[in-house]
Amino acid sequence: MKALVAMATIAAAVALLALTPQIRGQGMGPGHPGGMGGMGGMMAPPPSIGKNPLKATQAVVAKGKSLYDANCVACHGAGGRGDGPAAAALNPRPPDMRAAKSWSDGQIAAQIKNGRGIMPPFGQTLDSESIWSLVHYVRRLQR
């Protein structure tokens, strides 16, 4: 299982690195609406898409971790600090998720679903339950 997660992380990192010239060409620095505000800052939260319908059970959080490992680690890093293997090639760098601690669950879900700035949208590849499970796991990382 760990080997599969590692392979998925490497594949995601390679895909992101392949897109780096296009991403950098968009000029999304601190002054751009999609930028992160520079110096590891967090952009303003997106509009909420509602309240998390899932309870933070052990199974839901475990599913969120599995999804996070497969889809998010490459950029955000294992601890959610924006230090994943692909992060160094991104401009702006992914934020430290602890900076979004004040965001509502619905705002975090909106960010995952719709993407913003250089973060791709996952709403076409992840169902609603998966997105909300990811939100619960992100909350664990913020502790």
Side-chain angles (χ1 to χ4, degrees):
M1 181 66 181
K2 285 186 179 184
L4 181 61
V5 169
M7 287 177 29
T9 300
I10 291 168
V14 169
L16 284 170
L17 290 173
L19 292 173
T20 298
Q22 292 88 349
I23 292 169
R24 287 181 191 241
Q26 294 174 0
M28 289 195 278
H32 186 279
M36 298 295 184
M39 300 303 292
M42 184 64 119
M43 67 176 77
S48 176
I49 60 171
K51 186 175 175 170
N52 195 333
L54 303 178
K55 298 283 185 202
T57 64
Q58 190 173 2
V60 166
V61 174
K63 177 179 179 178
K65 181 184 183 336
S66 176
L67 290 164
Y68 183 88
D69 289 345
N71 296 286
C72 311
V73 165
C75 296
H76 290 283
R81 290 176 169 76
D83 58 356
L90 300 175
N91 183 18
R93 302 241 346 223
D96 183 328
M97 290 186 184
R98 294 172 297 179
K101 208 170 189 177
S102 65
W103 289 19
S104 71
D105 285 359
Q107 290 169 321
I108 294 172
Q111 181 77 18
I112 295 167
K113 179 179 179 181
N114 303 319
R116 195 161 45 146
I118 62 168
M119 181 173 165
F122 287 92
Q124 298 295 316
T125 55
L126 298 177
D127 63 19
S128 182
E129 182 179 315
S130 295
I131 290 171
W132 290 113
S133 296
L134 262 169
V135 170
H136 279 304
Y137 184 68
V138 167
R139 290 295 190 207
R140 294 291 164 100
L141 292 175
Q142 292 173 332
R143 292 183 178 171

